[in-house]
Structures are given as C-alpha cells and as structure tokens.
Amino acid sequence: MNNVMKTEFSALAENEAFARAVAAAFVMPLDPTVEELTEIKTAVSEAVSNSIIHGYEGCADRNEAKVIMECTISDGGKLVITIEDNGVGIGDVEKAMEPMFSTGDSEERSGMGFTVMESFTDRLKVRSEIGKGTTVIMTKYLDIISGI
Ligand SMILES: Nc1ncnc2c1ncn2[C@@H]1O[C@H](COP(=O)(O)OP(=O)(O)OP(=O)(O)O)[C@@H](O)[C@H]1O
Ligand SMILES: [Mg+2]
C-alpha cells in the first residue's frame, strides 16, 4: 500500500496540534501501537513548533508564513514525514542539532527538539539554507503485520 498526503497551514501556534492530529490520523490505517503514535505525534510537534517559533521568528504576517507537511507511507510500513518552512533558515545545522543547543529563550526552550525527533524516528535529515527555509525529513519504520 502506498499512500501520500500533503497539507499546508499558517505558521500559528495552534496549528502544532492540528499537524499532530493530522499525522496521527494518516497513519491510523497501519494500526500503529500507542507508543508509535505518541512518538510520531511528538516528533511532528517538535518539527512544526521549530518552524513556527524559529523559522518565522519575528514574522509579522502569519497568514503568509506557511508550514508544509507531507507524509508518505510505502510498502512494509515505511513512514516518511517532511516538514518544511520558508523561514530564516539555519546557518549551522550540525550545531543546531546538538543536544541542548538553542538560540531561543532559555526559560522556554531546552534545545532538545532535534534530539527528540532523532530518538523517536529511525532517521532524521535536516536541509536548510539561510533566508530560504528549512526542511526536516523523518523516516520511521512501523511495526506492521505483513499481509494486512
Ligand atoms: N525551522 C527552523 N528554522 C530556523 N531555525 C531553526 C529551525 N528549527 C530549529 N532551528 C534552530 O535550531 C535550534 C535547536 O532546535 P531544537 O528544536 O533542538 O531546540 P529549541 O527549539 O531551541 O528548544 P526546544 O525544542 O527544546 O523547545 C533552535 O534554537 C533554532 O536556533
Ligand atoms: Mg524546538
């Protein structure tokens, strides 16, 4: 079974919950475990909140600021989730991905978003360009019973 969906939404804080719910609903036909579902929702939340908070930091027109989420399910339960923004971009991706690294407010941000995405998925890839935006690609292999 191959299945694809794509959704585009405004970079507003309330859409973090929307994105989580949409990703969870999309994987439902694969009958994920509660643990897998929690991991997917949490990883999506981290990526989407990064786009909203950091990608579009200081952006006044939130209707123009968009986040795009694309999910693909392919044979064998391979789930690929891509979350993209056209925001400020990241200068040093390697540094940004280090545990506890954050450019945000130290009271609110712990710098653990990428670490969470990494531990809750099987593969994490981050592409970014200053002034152009950031794309986060997460791959997760779901434990599905073949033949169903
Ligand atoms: N989409 C993005 N656009 C621009 N910068 C980003 C983006 N995502 C992450 N970053 C940069 O990478 C840093 C690390 O991100 P990470 O999610 O690990 O931590 P955080 O968001 O600062 O804190 P936390 O996620 O724990 O609240 C951010 O502080 C920010 O500088
Ligand atoms: Mg974060």
Side-chain angles (χ1 to χ4, degrees), residues 73-89:
I73 293 167
S74 51
D75 292 326
K78 182 184 177 189
L79 171 69
V80 180
I81 304 173
T82 304
I83 289 157
E84 186 186 332
D85 66 63
N86 299 301
V88 294

Side-chain angles (χ1 to χ4, degrees), residues 67-137:
V67 180
I68 299 159
M69 178 170 74
E70 193 171 342
C71 300
T72 305
I73 293 167
S74 51
D75 292 326
K78 182 184 177 189
L79 171 69
V80 180
I81 304 173
T82 304
I83 289 157
E84 186 186 332
D85 66 63
N86 299 301
V88 294
I90 304 170
D92 186 343
V93 172
E94 216 177 305
K95 180 100 197 142
M97 290 176 78
E98 280 174 14
M100 311 216 343
F101 175 86
S102 179
T103 55
D105 173 358
S106 63
E107 298 230 322
E108 267 187 80
R109 310 259 74 88
S110 59
M112 291 305 284
F114 281 129
T115 308
V116 167
M117 287 180 241
E118 217 155 24
S119 62
F120 283 177
T121 61
D122 293 303
R123 203 181 313 137
L124 171 66
K125 213 169 143 189
V126 181
R127 285 202 219 111
S128 193
E129 208 180 314
I130 288 286
K132 292 241 166 110
T134 302
T135 303
V136 170
I137 305 163

Side-chain angles (χ1 to χ4, degrees), residues 48-68:
V48 170
S49 68
N50 276 354
S51 290
I52 295 170
I53 296 163
H54 306 296
Y56 294 113
E57 190 181 7
C59 174
D61 189 356
R62 289 278 161 169
N63 289 320
E64 281 304 307
K66 296 275 170 47
V67 180
I68 299 159

